[in-house]
Amino acid sequence: MKLMTEITWEHIKKNRRSSLAVMTAVLLSATLLCSICIFAHAFWSASVEMTRYNGGDWHGELFDNTPGEMLPYIEGNPNVESVMIKGAWQAVQLPEGTAMPYLFLRDTNEAYWRNMSEQHTLMEGRLPERTGEIAVSKLFFDRNPDYHIGDTLTLAKGQRMLDDEILSIQSIRLEGETFRQTAEETFTIVGKLDLTTTTAYPGYYALGYLEREAIAPEDMLTIYLRFHSMRDTYRVLPEIAEAVGYETDEFGDYALRYNAALLGLHGVSDGATAMSFSRLAIWGMVALAALLLIATFALIIRSVFSLSAGARIQQLGMLRSTGASPGQIRSSILLEGLTLSALPLLLAVLLAYVFSQAMGRVYLNIMGDMIHTELDFGFSVPVAALGVLVSLASVLLAVRSTARKMARLTPIEAVRGKNSQNLKRKKERNHRLSKRVFGYPGVLAQDNLRAYQKIYRMPVAALCLSFVLVAGTLCMIGIARVSNEAAYAEDYFDAQAYLYIAQERDENLIHEIRTMEGVQESVASSSVGFGMAVPTEMESEEFSALGGFAGVDKSKYNVVEHGDGWRIHGTLLGLDAESFRRYCGSLGLDAGEYLNAERPMAIAVNAVRPTPDARKKEDKERTIPFLRLEEGAVYTLDEQTYADTKSSHTFDVEVGAVTQEHPVTDAQYSNYRIILVLPLSQYDKIVEDFLPERALLYRRTNVLLKTTLDGITAEERLDRICEAYLGSEDFGTYSRDGELKAQQTSNTGLLAMASGIALVFALIGISNAFSTVSGNLAMRRRDFAMLRSAGLDDAGFGRVLFIEGLFFSLRPILLAVPLIGLLCALFGYLLDLPLASLLGALPFGAILLYAAGILLAMGLAYLYGARNIRKGTIVDALRSGLV
């Protein structure tokens, strides 16, 4: 074995050119594979960090109030790693003269401050560290400039009251409410938090510090949990809820909440959805892409390494004839491959981090302020090790394949150089098309390619896969961009203003928004949910034939058994008078009947989508009536939607007309939900008897606009108008153009990253084919010498090589185009894109540019090989041992 090692090492030293080619192929391939690992880890880590930053580092929440006496059972659970606790809401009365009368305070324990997102909202000062220290919303300091961080205040704690009834701490401001003091406490303001609430609430948000010893058995707590293994979350959290006495709701579920975003990033999901088709498809595509990358680079490395191994085939034949076993031959080839790969693999890690840093800076410069979490492309031992292992897998796959091939050769075959020299030409074909277009040089070129097709098979396959991966990636980005644009384009309105108000609407504000310069059409609306009891006989015939409410997936939709029938949810939708008239006109109805009705009268949108999960848009959006509703009938509805809505109030609505046509509000409603559309004036009559503390929900007003403005201008104008009437925390604005521009910026950043990877990929594929062509032409010097001796002049010789290079270059492109077309067609099919949109999404320019690069590189390879062949004489070529 020592002798074989020495022979292998001598071969590497004496054949520096082929060894360098192998090392270059491994270096480029490993650099890109390591870069992809670094990119994937950086973006995954950024997503995890952003999720923790925005939502906290927790796995599950006991969403209902949990008594303090149950805390030891939770803390003692062996699956629980950390317990983050929020105490009960406390109303703290501020001194007279402050803009709003209360602080709405919640104390939190040290684990909560260490793990939850509120720690990142600190603007000034520090976080609370002991009892009595509080951090207060910035709105408190903005509206009360006499107060500062470091102030100590002795304040009353107690309850908000209305007519001798205790109000919820989170209730909005109610006229006539009073405060009943129950205690007094001294607070020190230590920090300012970037947290605000709408001014509909009469207080400022504040957080304090909760000592574990201060928790009483009767205290009601909100608890967040992190488990030792987050994979146990969906199993253990319901067990804990049952153990501490939680009761299931009307849907049979506990009041629990999961940090699904964080869990999903770690591959943890609810068992009910873990094996969904979409998840399997995503993981399948990731696995397929990984295997395709490894196989591609294995082909690239193999095609280069096989040339190096082919150069020593006669040496291996002599070793076999002197007693070397096939195993020793395989070991020698493997040793050569691993030796040549060792240094490139180490250098690849360094180059990958340099390349990643450069591409990361390009991406961050493009994304600008849209990126809130730093992308970390710093050195990581696990990531570097993963990149090396993936690269090593490609190398071993390539080298082992070549080693097995060489070990199977008999001594005679190896000595004769079967692998490269004695390629027998099959019976020459007519090649009529080539002959007609290119003449005899075309026939000769095509026959040469056919004779050496085994040698060219690897570079053609590698170049084809390279083309598929590069062009396919660019196509997928283009198709995703067009799909996103199409989704946004479906919205009729292009700008919106959201007014978070709990009192009567300011008609002047609404009027200014709707008459803003550039507005073509507008709708002002408010909406609120309600509950409705539906006996089984109310199901329509068409709906009953499909299974009715009994066949509805109760885990996805708000449908529960209720007595002899069902209980469903609905939406009460109030439209401004002008928009309501326009809606009635589209249905051929008289709007006056609804505007002037003594009892609230509504248009019922009685429509359900029987196949909401269908692929085709027309099947997905097809609707049928699902209830038997009588025009002129009066229906009694409930303010209570969910079990936690503490109201028994009912109200009556007369159905004036039934339709399946929604008003154009760009709203997306859940399936199996009845929509009652009525004028805002009638809507207000209904909701004025709803629970006052819910006013922010049912008084919230949306103003939708169809404009001639670009998104930035529309948002700026809306902001100026709203700021003249409301505080910044009481409204929000949106524009479709703004969202599209943000999406386009994100796509541009991804395209820049993909282009960088594509460039390296193209370099690898083309350089591999270049080295293969050059090496093959050098080994065919005797063939060409025989043609020249038969009278082929330099011009004819050049034409033969030109046509051969053209045919060779077109082969991987022609093989790749159907694969790319199939990939794009499948992606377009899944996204339901029409053919015109699909073709418009494809980056034909970039694909043609890459194809032109392949043609140019192969042309240069054949030109380089031809120059080397022309340098020697015919006699020298015929005497050469290279066959």
Side-chain angles (χ1 to χ4, degrees):
M1 189 63 194
K2 182 179 179 182
L3 177 61
M4 294 296 295
T5 302
E6 292 176 353
I7 292 173
T8 302
W9 182 244
E10 284 298 318
H11 169 75
I12 293 174
K13 289 193 295 183
K14 289 181 178 179
N15 294 270
R16 293 193 179 99
R17 187 173 178 178
S18 60
S19 299
L20 185 60
V22 173
M23 295 175 70
T24 302
V26 173
L27 178 63
L28 291 174
S29 300
T31 297
L32 190 50
L33 283 172
C34 289
S35 297
I36 292 173
C37 292
I38 294 168
F39 288 143
H41 179 263
F43 279 97
W44 177 82
S45 298
S47 298
V48 170
E49 188 60 32
M50 179 64 74
T51 302
R52 288 174 175 164
Y53 184 92
N54 291 329
D57 187 10
W58 55 281
H59 300 157
E61 176 189 0
L62 295 170
F63 194 63
D64 204 353
N65 289 326
T66 303
E69 63 182 343
M70 294 295 175
L71 196 54
Y73 298 98
I74 298 171
E75 294 172 326
N77 190 294
N79 297 287
V80 173
E81 176 192 351
S82 182
V83 180
M84 289 74 79
I85 305 172
K86 261 187 178 180
W89 284 100
Q90 304 173 64
V92 180
Q93 189 175 40
L94 290 167
E96 194 171 333
T98 52
M100 289 194 291
Y102 305 118
L103 289 178
F104 295 144
L105 174 65
R106 298 193 79 174
D107 291 330
T108 62
N109 69 341
E110 191 272 337
Y112 187 95
W113 279 118
R114 187 175 63 250
N115 295 289
M116 302 303 282
S117 59
E118 284 87 346
Q119 64 177 306
H120 305 299
T121 65
L122 183 68
M123 300 174 67
E124 295 180 26
R126 61 176 176 82
L127 300 175
E129 297 175 351
R130 57 184 62 88
T131 301
E133 295 183 344
I134 58 174
V136 186
S137 164
K138 66 177 182 179
L139 191 61
F140 171 77
F141 298 97
D142 293 342
R143 298 198 170 188
N144 304 281
D146 292 338
Y147 291 93
H148 304 89
I149 293 175
D151 289 349
T152 299
L153 307 173
T154 300
L155 304 173
K157 297 170 61 178
Q159 298 164 336
R160 298 173 60 189
M161 307 292 296
L162 182 65
D163 299 331
D164 295 328
E165 291 188 6
I166 298 175
L167 290 175
S168 167
I169 298 295
Q170 302 117 296
S171 175
I172 63 169
R173 187 195 306 267
L174 298 176
E175 187 176 350
E177 73 170 85
T178 59
F179 181 78
R180 182 170 68 190
Q181 180 176 344
T182 59
E184 189 175 78
E185 188 171 342
T186 299
F187 299 97
T188 301
I189 302 175
V190 298
K192 179 195 293 189
L193 301 178
D194 188 12
L195 297 172
T196 60
T197 56
T198 172
T199 54
Y201 297 102
Y204 309 99
Y205 191 55
L207 290 172
Y209 189 84
L210 180 64
E211 297 282 359
R212 174 65 178 84
E213 296 76 14
I215 299 175
E218 66 275 9
D219 286 348
M220 291 299 171
L221 311 172
T222 300
I223 296 177
Y224 299 81
L225 300 173
R226 196 170 63 244
F227 299 99
H228 291 291
S229 172
M230 64 172 62
R231 298 191 178 279
D232 296 330
T233 302
Y234 289 101
R235 177 183 61 84
V236 175
L237 194 61
E239 294 175 357
I240 293 176
E242 182 179 9
V244 300
Y246 273 34
E247 296 183 359
T248 57
D249 59 17
E250 55 186 331
F251 301 100
D253 299 321
Y254 294 110
L256 305 175
R257 196 160 65 97
Y258 299 93
N259 195 349
L262 183 63
L263 294 173
L265 285 169
H266 289 84
V268 180
S269 64
D270 187 355
T273 59
M275 297 303 292
S276 67
F277 175 78
S278 59
R279 289 183 60 83
L280 286 174
I282 291 172
W283 284 110
M285 289 179 65
V286 171
L288 180 61
L291 291 175
L292 191 59
L293 280 171
I294 293 175
T296 300
F297 288 119
L299 281 173
I300 291 172
I301 296 169
R302 179 187 173 184
S303 63
V304 177
F305 186 70
S306 61
L307 291 175
S308 175
R312 59 182 299 204
I313 189 169
Q314 292 180 338
Q315 179 193 69
L316 296 175
M318 288 187 287
L319 291 173
R320 288 280 284 120
S321 64
T322 57
S325 67
Q328 289 176 317
I329 298 298
R330 281 197 300 271
S331 299
S332 177
I333 300 295
L334 287 170
L335 178 62
E336 179 185 355
L338 293 176
T339 302
L340 293 175
S341 302
L343 182 60
L345 287 175
L346 295 177
L347 290 177
V349 175
L350 176 62
L351 290 178
Y353 275 100
V354 172
F355 176 70
S356 300
Q357 291 280 358
M359 293 306 303
R361 281 196 294 270
V362 172
Y363 179 77
L364 292 174
N365 289 335
I366 292 173
M367 298 300 291
D369 295 336
M370 291 180 61
I371 295 293
H372 304 291
T373 300
E374 188 71 24
L375 286 171
D376 184 13
F377 293 102
F379 181 77
S380 168
V381 173
V383 177
L386 177 62
V388 171
L389 288 175
V390 172
S391 303
L392 185 60
S394 294
V395 171
L396 289 175
L397 193 63
V399 174
R400 186 171 181 272
S401 175
T402 304
R404 290 179 62 187
K405 179 181 177 182
M406 291 295 179
R408 284 198 298 264
L409 294 177
T410 65
I412 295 176
E413 289 174 334
V415 171
R416 292 176 57 192
K418 175 186 175 184
N419 189 53
S420 57
Q421 286 105 332
N422 296 325
L423 293 171
K424 296 181 181 179
R425 294 179 180 268
K426 297 181 181 180
K427 185 178 179 180
E428 186 176 302
R429 294 181 178 178
N430 291 328
H431 305 304
R432 293 179 182 177
L433 181 61
S434 300
K435 186 174 182 179
R436 183 175 301 176
V437 176
F438 299 104
Y440 181 73
V443 176
L444 186 59
Q446 197 159 350
D447 191 51
N448 286 336
L449 280 178
R450 186 166 176 265
Y452 292 94
Q453 61 182 350
K454 287 187 177 180
I455 293 178
Y456 283 145
R457 188 177 296 162
M458 286 299 108
V460 166
L463 211 54
C464 176
L465 287 174
S466 171
F467 196 90
V468 169
L469 287 172
V470 173
T473 300
L474 298 178
C475 288
M476 294 306 99
I477 292 175
I479 293 173
R481 174 183 56 79
V482 170
S483 177
N484 289 332
E485 291 176 354
Y488 282 113
E490 290 181 358
D491 292 339
Y492 182 77
F493 297 98
D494 52 44
Q496 296 183 37
Y498 307 94
L499 310 179
Y500 306 114
I501 52 179
Q503 64 280 356
E504 188 176 341
R505 295 174 202 84
D506 191 324
E507 293 301 329
N508 292 327
L509 170 58
I510 304 293
H511 177 74
E512 278 202 48
I513 293 174
R514 301 183 67 183
T515 57
M516 183 179 73
E517 183 182 355
V519 173
Q520 295 177 315
E521 189 178 331
S522 63
V523 170
S525 66
S526 293
S527 63
V528 68
F530 62 82
M532 182 178 183
V534 179
T536 303
E537 55 267 22
M538 277 189 69
E539 295 179 358
S540 69
E541 292 183 9
E542 194 172 354
F543 183 53
S544 294
L546 295 174
F549 288 115
V552 173
D553 186 348
K554 311 302 188 299
S555 65
K556 294 174 61 177
Y557 302 105
N558 295 314
V559 175
V560 295
E561 292 189 36
H562 181 76
D564 295 333
W566 308 90
R567 179 178 171 80
I568 65 171
H569 289 186
T571 296
L572 200 65
L573 175 64
L575 300 180
D576 66 272
E578 178 186 344
S579 301
F580 187 79
R581 287 192 183 94
R582 192 162 54 240
Y583 179 50
C584 287
S586 68
L587 300 175
L589 302 174
D590 180 11
E593 294 184 18
Y594 298 85
L595 290 164
N596 302 317
E598 293 185 6
R599 176 194 292 130
M601 188 164 61
I603 301 170
V605 181
N606 178 26
V608 69
R609 302 186 303 278
T611 53
D613 298 323
R615 189 195 64 80
K616 290 186 177 181
K617 183 179 179 181
E618 54 268 24
D619 294 335
K620 184 184 298 185
E621 297 182 352
R622 181 177 67 89
T623 61
I624 61 170
F626 70 112
L627 296 178
R628 297 176 187 265
L629 297 176
E630 299 180 11
E631 296 184 1
V634 177
Y635 295 91
T636 299
L637 309 171
D638 302 319
E639 178 186 359
Q640 185 184 51
T641 49
Y642 296 95
D644 59 354
T645 305
K646 307 302 182 183
S647 174
S648 58
H649 173 68
T650 61
F651 58 97
D652 295 335
V653 174
E654 179 182 347
V655 172
V658 181
T659 181
Q660 293 187 55
E661 299 295 326
H662 286 82
V664 183
T665 60
D666 290 350
Q668 299 294 325
Y669 297 105
S670 174
N671 219 3
Y672 308 103
R673 192 179 189 96
I674 186 74
I675 313 298
L676 299 181
V677 186
L678 68 171
L680 267 177
S681 57
Q682 300 286 8
Y683 172 91
D684 289 338
K685 288 180 183 179
I686 294 174
V687 300
E688 67 183 7
D689 295 323
F690 279 21
L691 290 175
E693 55 265 34
R694 300 179 69 231
L696 187 63
L697 177 65
Y698 54 74
R699 292 289 188 189
R700 183 176 57 190
T701 301
N702 294 340
V703 185
L704 297 93
L705 307 173
K706 185 175 179 60
T707 73
T708 58
L709 307 172
D710 67 85
I712 302 299
T713 303
E715 288 190 60
E716 288 177 349
R717 292 183 180 180
L718 284 172
D719 287 340
R720 284 199 300 268
I721 293 172
C722 294
E723 285 170 355
Y725 292 85
L726 302 170
S728 60
E729 62 277 4
D730 292 335
F731 72 90
T733 59
Y734 158 88
S735 73
R736 183 176 62 197
D737 286 351
E739 291 295 315
L740 272 175
K741 287 180 179 178
Q743 187 66 50
Q744 288 169 357
T745 300
S746 178
N747 286 336
T748 302
L750 289 176
L751 183 60
M753 298 282 285
S755 298
I757 295 175
L759 182 63
V760 178
F761 217 127
L763 179 63
I764 294 171
I766 292 174
S767 63
N768 163 69
F770 189 98
S771 62
T772 303
V773 168
S774 300
N776 179 256
L777 290 179
M779 290 190 296
R780 291 164 56 193
R781 292 181 64 187
R782 184 177 180 183
D783 289 349
F784 290 124
M786 293 173 64
L787 290 173
R788 290 166 66 190
S789 66
L792 185 68
D793 59 13
D794 285 347
F797 177 68
R799 281 196 300 273
V800 170
L801 290 184
F802 172 79
I803 297 168
E804 183 179 327
L806 181 63
F807 287 165
F808 173 75
S809 304
L810 289 175
R811 186 171 295 179
I813 297 172
L814 295 176
L815 289 172
V817 167
L819 294 175
I820 296 170
L822 181 63
L823 183 66
C824 293
L826 177 62
F827 208 49
Y829 175 83
L830 294 175
L831 295 174
D832 197 22
L833 285 177
L835 181 60
S837 298
L838 182 62
L839 292 176
L842 303 182
F844 289 108
I847 295 174
L848 291 175
L849 183 63
Y850 188 28
I854 292 176
L855 293 172
L856 177 61
M858 294 306 97
L860 292 175
Y862 272 89
L863 180 62
Y864 175 75
R867 288 185 59 190
N868 287 338
I869 292 171
R870 285 195 181 101
K871 288 179 181 178
T873 65
I874 296 176
V875 175
D876 292 336
L878 292 173
R879 288 176 176 174
S880 175
L882 294 173
V883 182

